[in-house]
């Protein structure tokens, strides 16, 4: 009668297979695969609900499992940038760019991070790359202009 089993019953059956919890749920922890993709999606969902510390934990786990996941690297870098953890944010933007050197957003965000760390000359390089990749990227263009002004 598996067709009539309640979620509670299924969770009880699956519980011996692991105590991993996702979003506080042992059931989700039991039925969702233990992959970087799941951790990235959960991390992004938590970030949108303001649960930044937990989002960062999920994204850190995602990049540990799959260091070539450019989306997870970029998302983690963005959260760390917003939290002021600039050197670590820069590492994750660089990791994203190793996988996706054509990411204008990652170039722009690395530029913002470098400028915030007092490295406007290095930031200019990444703002230029972002604008070259996406000429209509207004934010990157504004950032480039500001960085150029601060280097003179």
């Amino acid at each position: 009668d598996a067709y009539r089993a309640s979620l509670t019953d299924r969770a009880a059956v699956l519980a011996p297979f692991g105590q991993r919890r996702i979003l506080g749920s042992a059931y989700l922890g039991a039925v969702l695969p233990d992959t970087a993709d799941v951790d990235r999606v959960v991390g992004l969902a938590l970030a949108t609900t303001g649960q930044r510390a937990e989002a960062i934990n999920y994204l850190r786990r995602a990049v540990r499992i799959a260091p070539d996941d450019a989306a997870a690297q970029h998302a983690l870098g963005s959260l760390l940038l917003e939290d002021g953890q600039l050197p670590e944010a820069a590492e994750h933007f660089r990791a994203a760019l190793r996988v996706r050197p054509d990411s204008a957003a990652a170039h722009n965000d690395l530029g913002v991070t470098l400028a915030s760390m007092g490295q406007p000359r290095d930031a200019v390089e990444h703002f230029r790359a972002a604008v070259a990749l996406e000429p209509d990227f207004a934010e990157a263009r504004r950032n480039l202009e500001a960085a150029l002004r601060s280097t003179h």
Side-chain angles (χ1 to χ4, degrees), residues 7-131:
L7 288 179
T8 305
D9 292 340
R10 280 182 261 167
V13 169
L14 294 171
F17 298 105
Q19 296 301 315
R20 186 174 73 120
R21 298 178 86 70
I22 294 180
L23 300 175
S25 168
Y27 178 75
L28 289 177
V31 299
L32 290 176
D34 191 10
T35 65
D37 289 337
V38 168
D39 287 331
R40 178 179 18 85
V41 169
V42 172
L44 292 170
L46 288 166
T48 64
T49 63
Q51 298 175 64
R52 301 173 62 75
E54 196 166 350
I56 288 171
N57 288 336
Y58 273 95
L59 289 167
R60 279 191 171 130
R61 187 170 185 279
V63 301
R64 258 193 320 276
I65 294 170
D68 289 342
D69 184 336
Q73 293 282 6
H74 190 174
L76 180 54
S78 296
L79 288 173
L80 294 168
L81 171 60
E82 291 171 11
D83 280 355
Q85 298 178 49
L86 303 178
E88 188 179 356
E91 288 175 30
H92 291 287
F93 292 133
R94 284 187 179 106
L97 286 167
R98 278 192 292 278
V99 179
R100 294 278 322 272
D102 61 341
S103 172
H107 276 290
N108 181 67
D109 292 346
L110 178 54
V112 169
T113 305
L114 293 170
S116 298
M117 293 170 63
Q119 301 172 26
R121 282 187 169 75
D122 295 329
V124 164
E125 171 188 337
H126 291 283
F127 295 139
R128 281 189 172 135
V131 170

